[in-house]
Amino acid sequence: MVTDGSHQVHKEMTTSSAMPASASSAQPVKYGELVVLGYNGYLPQGDKGRRRSKFTLHRKEKASGIKRSKHYVVDTPHTSKAVLDTQIHSISYTLSRNQAVVVEYVPDEETDMFQVGRSSEMPIDFVVMDTVAGDKSGGVDKSMQSTISRFACRILVDRKPPYTARVYAAGFDSSRNIFLGEKASKWEENGMIDGLTTNGVLLLHIKGSFAGGNAKVLPWREVSVNGGLYTMRESRSAPQRGKKLENESNILEDGSMIDLCGVTLLWRSAAGLEKSPTRRELDRNLDVLNAARPQCPVGLNTLVVGRKTNSLDREPYVYLKCGHVQGLHEWGHKKGSESKERTCPICMESGPFVNLSMSYEPSTYCDSGMLSHAFSPCGHMVSERTARYWANMPIPHGTKGLQAECPFCAIPLEGPTGFIRLIFQDNVD
């Protein structure tokens, strides 16, 4: 079982992959996890049903995958037999007002299909919403129009080892249909039609192992409806597709990331997770840190790092310029000033003074090293390798921007490196 930061227990299986009570009590095969970046192990309003901060993909009792069967040209796609038959999966590519290509799909006993999107309809296995940087309330701005597609993407996983997972743009609706409108980018190649969704599905691979934090980040690519990889468009919804990349694939590898224009997902394979720290290891590192009894040099009181406490003077704060960790005090703070900057009493460096908080989602850690660093400006504590890895990870932002973000709160990183080394008093580094 995996526990999140609120000490809630994640169900071993999602609604879509749950096995009946009469099924074998043996643990189902775990394919991997999709981690929603920007949440510290749990959603603000709690992990509920198909909406949660982390999705576990298990082999389903019965194969749910599909594979391409045949395609044909029709005059009116919305009234074609395949589209009207809710038992047939089909994709309709509208070429003009009176012409479309319909591609039919048939069941595939070799794969399982999982769908991700904003819609709460049952075909969506994992419901995702727009990530708001630093949001702890879970409130959604009703006036803000989501850029995430209702049926954003689908993932097909081989039911046999090595459980290869592939991502495709667009998901099937309640009638098992996908419609690409007349304005959507589409093309024919080698006798097969393909296309892109409105805001696109982006995929990033890494070269090397995520576990250890030494992997090299590769460029973001766009995934087509058929799973082809292309260079990114000029902007997310630009009509012209990028260049076809023949030597790259849509196969998810440990550490690959999927961006759905409003939310970014990290893929961790089951094999990769075995090399990653557990929540218990993170707690153990925290215990070691607190066992050294870090002190505040001003209040001369012992700080409690990463644990909830009712005593404000025991909560740790860090100066983002120098990294010195202290308790909450008024020294170095100008009276009447609304500025968050303070002067460190140890090195006299002036800068932001923020609360130091624990990073609870183990799947985003690169290793189980000591909690020696923190992201700037949010103050989330991590190991050095984890800090360096995410500080060099460009996350899609807006229609065509990229920026490094804290994987635990999605706040853009600041400063020369995006993180700082923590310096505790009376703690042996």
Side-chain angles (χ1 to χ4, degrees):
M1 287 283 197
V2 181
T3 56
D4 59 25
S6 60
H7 301 284
Q8 293 177 321
V9 179
H10 279 287
K11 294 181 180 178
E12 276 296 317
M13 294 188 297
T14 61
T15 304
S16 62
S17 59
M19 297 175 68
S22 59
S24 171
S25 59
Q27 288 278 34
V29 172
K30 182 176 179 177
Y31 294 141
E33 293 177 350
L34 282 173
V35 183
V36 185
L37 295 185
Y39 301 98
N40 196 4
Y42 63 98
L43 296 181
Q45 296 178 329
D47 288 341
K48 301 172 184 177
R50 292 172 293 144
R51 193 186 171 204
R52 48 188 59 240
S53 67
K54 179 165 61 180
F55 309 114
T56 303
L57 279 65
H58 287 104
R59 184 167 61 189
K60 300 184 180 182
E61 183 185 14
K62 184 179 179 181
S64 61
I66 56 169
K67 56 186 176 182
R68 190 183 179 109
S69 173
K70 58 183 178 181
H71 69 276
Y72 44 86
V73 178
V74 297
D75 295 333
T76 53
H78 285 80
T79 58
S80 67
K81 179 182 177 181
V83 171
L84 293 176
D85 190 338
T86 58
Q87 299 304 309
I88 298 177
H89 286 89
S90 69
I91 302 179
S92 301
Y93 300 82
T94 303
L95 305 179
S96 64
R97 185 171 298 179
N98 53 10
Q99 187 181 50
V101 174
V102 176
V103 181
E104 288 188 21
Y105 288 75
V106 294
D108 182 7
E109 297 297 323
E110 303 297 320
T111 62
D112 279 332
M113 181 168 69
F114 303 87
Q115 298 204 142
V116 186
R118 180 170 50 86
S119 173
S120 59
E121 293 183 27
M122 288 312 295
I124 295 299
D125 297 272
F126 310 132
V127 180
V128 291
M129 303 297 287
D130 295 76
T131 300
V132 179
D135 178 37
K136 295 181 180 180
S137 65
V140 178
D141 184 355
K142 302 290 185 181
S143 65
M144 185 179 71
Q145 188 173 2
S146 177
T147 49
I148 303 172
S149 172
R150 295 176 65 244
F151 303 92
C153 73
R154 62 195 191 279
I155 297 172
L156 268 71
V157 188
D158 291 345
R159 289 171 60 84
K160 296 179 180 179
Y163 309 118
T164 303
R166 296 175 174 84
V167 62
Y168 301 81
F172 295 94
D173 62 20
S174 296
S175 299
R176 300 190 177 186
N177 298 319
I178 293 175
F179 291 99
L180 264 70
E182 191 174 344
K183 294 182 180 180
S185 178
K186 63 186 79 68
W187 60 91
E188 186 176 350
E189 195 172 52
N190 300 324
M192 295 176 65
I193 193 165
D194 201 355
L196 304 174
T197 53
T198 303
N199 288 330
V201 174
L202 303 185
L203 175 64
L204 177 141
H205 288 314
I206 59 174
K207 186 176 182 180
S209 174
F210 177 88
N214 296 318
K216 178 184 177 183
V217 177
L218 299 177
W220 282 94
R221 306 304 193 192
E222 181 163 9
V223 186
S224 71
V225 174
N226 284 344
L229 254 59
Y230 298 81
T231 56
M232 289 175 61
R233 285 179 273 181
E234 186 176 336
S235 65
R236 292 299 288 252
S237 58
Q240 186 64 38
R241 68 178 171 92
K243 179 183 177 183
K244 178 73 179 290
L245 301 165
E246 300 290 352
N247 299 322
E248 298 183 27
S249 78
N250 63 334
I251 294 177
L252 296 176
E253 301 163 353
D254 188 46
S256 292
M257 295 206 299
I258 302 168
D259 186 82
L260 303 178
C261 196
V263 64
T264 306
L265 309 173
L266 168 68
W267 168 256
R268 296 303 314 277
S269 67
L273 287 169
E274 291 179 357
K275 303 174 185 177
S276 296
T278 62
R279 174 62 186 274
R280 183 173 296 179
E281 286 178 289
L282 297 183
D283 285 336
R284 192 182 303 128
N285 287 345
L286 197 56
D287 291 338
V288 170
L289 194 61
N290 283 314
R293 297 178 62 81
Q295 304 287 313
C296 173
V298 177
L300 301 178
N301 53 308
T302 301
L303 304 176
V304 181
V305 184
R307 304 289 192 199
K308 288 186 177 180
T309 172
N310 294 325
S311 178
L312 291 177
D313 62 350
R314 299 193 72 186
E315 289 187 1
Y317 282 73
V318 61
Y319 290 89
L320 294 181
K321 287 285 187 178
C322 59
H324 285 111
V325 179
Q326 300 173 27
L328 183 62
H329 55 72
E330 291 300 315
W331 198 97
H333 182 240
K334 296 180 180 179
K335 290 185 178 181
S337 173
E338 295 183 0
S339 173
K340 292 183 179 180
E341 292 201 354
R342 299 194 186 195
T343 300
C344 174
I346 296 177
C347 64
M348 304 306 291
E349 183 84 44
S350 294
F353 184 65
V354 301
N355 184 236
L356 198 61
S357 54
M358 181 62 184
S359 303
Y360 285 110
E361 177 50 69
S363 298
T364 51
Y365 277 78
C366 296
D367 68 343
S368 55
M370 294 306 297
L371 302 169
S372 58
H373 289 65
F375 289 113
S376 176
C378 60
H380 277 109
M381 293 189 302
V382 288
S383 65
E384 180 178 2
R385 287 189 175 184
T386 301
R388 293 187 182 280
Y389 181 85
W390 288 105
N392 289 291
M393 174 62 70
I395 305 294
H397 176 71
T399 57
K400 53 183 177 181
L402 296 170
Q403 63 184 16
E405 299 176 355
C406 171
F408 304 99
C409 66
I411 289 178
L413 300 183
E414 299 176 356
T417 60
F419 59 88
I420 44 118
R421 177 177 176 271
L422 301 174
I423 305 174
F424 294 93
Q425 300 302 304
D426 299 334
N427 185 56
V428 180
D429 289 329

